[in-house]
Amino acid sequence: MATKQQSQNAITLKGSAKLVMDYLNFGINSILFQRGIYPPESFKTEEHFGLSILVSTDTKIQQFLQPVLNQMKGMYLINITVYWLLEQKIQKMSMVISNVNTKEVMERWDFKLQYEGSGDSNPDSVGNKELSIIQKEIRDVLRQICSTVSFLPLLDCPCAFDLQIYTKPDVDVPQEWSETAPSYIANSQELQLRSFSTSLHRMDTVVSYKADF
Amino acid sequence: MNKSKDNDQTFVIKILDDLRSNNRSKPLRMHYDTSMISSNDSLLLSNKRRRSCSPDLQESMLTPVTSPWESRRIKQELVNARAEIASLQERNKTLFNLKKESDILFEKEKSALEHNINKSKLMIDQLDNRLKEIRYEKSNLKEENDSLMKKLESLVEENKRWTSNLEKENKELEDKLTSVTSELTKYQNESVSRNCTDYELNELKKTLRSNEKYIEELTSNLRKKQIEINTLENDQVKMNTANQRIKCLENELASLQENAMVVNAQREKLKRFNSMENELVSLREEVAIYRNDVKQTEVLENKVATLESKLNKHELIEKEAMQLRSNLAVSEDRLKAWIDVCREVCENVTESQCYPEYLRYYVDNLKKKDLFLVNEKGELQTNIARLELKLKQMEVELLKAKEQIVIGTNNNNKNELIIKRLKKQIYIITWERNDLRELLDSFQKEVTVIGNINGEDTKMEVLEKAINGYKSRMNQIETDPSMYVPTDNNKRWIEEKNVLLKEKEELINKCKQLEEKCSDLNDQIDHRALKGDFNLKETKVLHYKMNPASEGFNHYQNELAKAKQEIEKLKERIKAMNEGISMNLTQVVDNRVETNASQEVEGLKEKLKSQEIQNQRLREVFKKSSQEFRESVYTLLGFKVDGLQNNMYRLTSQFAFHEEDNLMFQLNEGSMHLLETPFSKTIEEMIALHLGQQRSIPVLLSSLTIDLFSKQSMIMTADSTRLESAIN
């Protein structure tokens, strides 16, 4: 009985990683929609965390996001980012929106990760926060992302996005990955959005954008 | 007995069989009732059998037992019999039941049959009734038939009557028709008579026409009369106008009469005209005189005005003169006063000298004196200030001196305290000295007692006690600060302490500053982190190779290249169109673009050529510089170095006698090896010494140069001596 209760009220490290990845996936999808980087007719609504979220149906985007973010299929088929997350190698992830023609960085969404809890990378270690509260927090952040459109400058050029992962230097780089230069925005303004915590991971979301004056 | 019994039993069965056979033997066409009877019979029989059986049993029960075997057999038989009885009774019961059932069935069937009979009876009754009804109906129908027949007959008769009537009517109608035709003929006659009326009508029309003519005549008369009336009216109008004219003329006449009256009056006036003219001339003269008068009066008035203004001016002047006079008087008074003042001030002055210049001179003198006095006063004031300053300084010095005195007294006090402490110390030291002396004495005493081990022990104890005493005193001294001896170092320590305190304060200040800096830097780091800054050493930035951004960029590049190509094509097309080519435009354009590509190739070739030229130049420069380098090596080290093939180097000395005198070296795996040459054979000794023993090429080379140089200089000197001798 005791174990059952624990499993009901608490969250495992794996589950936390999955939540973080889900948040990133839906966050990035809704940013893509809200910022108008891809045409709005290529999105469909899905229900997640009690919110209706617009998820891209563009196969190219899905092909990119699937190996990077989603997908803990089965018990051991974990993708590399989740592995890094579990090994506490990731410092932050940033979604860089840049002008296709000039490669100029227009906007950067930083998802900063902090590792809370005991600090061991045992995938079955357990947090002490209820799932419903975590989901509520994530929902709040996603809502806030949707509301940022009201003040962010209009992206009036063809844009594309990239996902950069800031890891520790002792990480092996897989074949499909490569090192890249960090992207800075000259003359930027920042806004820190709400953060959420799964009691094992803490996620701060910051958006920096080119101030136009 | 047993046999009898057996017989008995068999007898009963036989009877039964007989009965059955009897029953069977009876004819089969038995009624149900008879069967019932037979069953009853069988029942009766069974009853009889029962009755017959029971006495047998009783008999068996009553019979005495002769032997155990027999009794057993009897018992067995009895049991068998009882079993048989029971089975028979059961059979009886079943039969009885069967009988009951059959009774019930019979009754049921009976009741069913009775019911059927009743039903059929009812049916028969119903049928009878129906039959009766049908018969009744039949009679009724017959009656009806009769009546209907009668009716039919009557109807036929009626029809006949109707036909006759109709025929009659037909006849009548035919008659009518004839009458109608006759009437028609009558109507035709009537139409003839109508023609007559038409004629009458024509007559009437004629009269009407005549009437109309009359009317026309009348209207024409009327018109004539109207015309006459009109003419009359016109005459009346003319009459009116004539009357008006008459009136006008009358008016004119009146006016003419008036005019005539006026003319008469004028005539009279004209008669007076001459006198009037005379009057006029006289009047004109008068007018001229008046005009002259007027002019004169104006002139006079002007003169009067000027005189009045002059008068006013003179009055003003007079007033001013009065004022000036009064002023003059006042000024004369003042002058007198001034002169008086002058006399009073300047004593040795006559009245003739009383001029303002003198006064001014006098005043100037006074001013100069005043200035001089002021200067003196200033100097005196500065002197006073100086003295005051000195006084203040003196006061300060005095205060300092006082302070020094106070410090001196303090020092004195301190010194007194120190002296006291020193006295105390001296006391302690003397006490210690005494103690030590005592100890010494005791030691001496002990020393006198040599070899006494116990004595040594006691000595040890004493020593230990002494040590303890010292320790306790030491503690006392340490704990009691009054025992502490302040020395001259004290001041130095205080100074050091002050210095240290200052340093401490400075350090604290520095610490605060550093903390502030730290917080500032932390803030900056936070801000930077928000800006997306991070530690480059501790992070790796990774991204998926096939990300949308790079894909998008590549896509854009491709599109750009395509667009450029297209632009070129279009440009060519425009050119071609401008040149007037209209046939096969696209083909021409493609060809041109291709030629453009070949042009590009040519351009690249040109570039390549220029690159080659550049290369050549570089080579030349390199050669030059290497030549210079070799020359400089030659002049500095005294050897000409020629690089040959296969990493060979040829060294020719500056001082060699022949050009063939050279050394060959080969670079082989990082080390130089000397190769044999004709010249090297001549210097084998040197080689053995420097290479074989010292293993150094530079030493060999330098010794070689020295050797060659000495040889050559020897020759040179020899030559020169020879030359000198020859000269001599």
Side-chain angles (χ1 to χ4, degrees), chain B residues 137-197:
Chain B
E137 274 178 18
K138 196 187 162 188
S139 62
N140 280 340
L141 284 167
K142 267 183 182 173
E143 278 172 10
E144 270 181 26
N145 199 6
D146 290 341
S147 62
L148 284 167
M149 283 291 280
K150 276 175 189 172
K151 272 182 184 176
L152 218 162
E153 277 169 4
S154 61
L155 278 168
V156 167
E157 278 174 5
E158 274 179 15
N159 277 334
K160 276 176 184 171
R161 262 182 233 157
W162 273 101
T163 46
S164 62
N165 281 335
L166 282 167
E167 277 171 357
K168 275 178 189 174
E169 274 179 13
N170 198 10
K171 275 175 186 174
E172 279 174 8
L173 284 166
E174 276 174 356
D175 288 341
K176 270 184 183 176
L177 211 159
T178 48
S179 65
V180 164
T181 44
S182 64
E183 273 179 11
L184 246 171
T185 48
K186 275 179 191 174
Y187 280 123
Q188 276 171 353
N189 290 331
E190 273 178 16
S191 72
V192 172
S193 65
R194 195 179 275 174
N195 282 335
C196 292
T197 50

Side-chain angles (χ1 to χ4, degrees), chain B residues 72 98 125 136 138 147 161 178 202 220 328 379 388 404 413 429 504 532 537 561-562 584-585 604 643:
Chain B
R72 261 180 225 165
L98 274 170
D125 286 342
Y136 181 71
K138 196 187 162 188
S147 62
R161 262 182 233 157
T178 48
N202 282 333
S220 64
L328 203 141
E379 279 173 11
E388 275 176 354
Q404 276 179 349
N413 289 334
I429 288 159
K504 192 189 159 193
K537 282 178 186 172
K562 273 185 194 170
N584 293 335
L585 201 64
L604 286 169

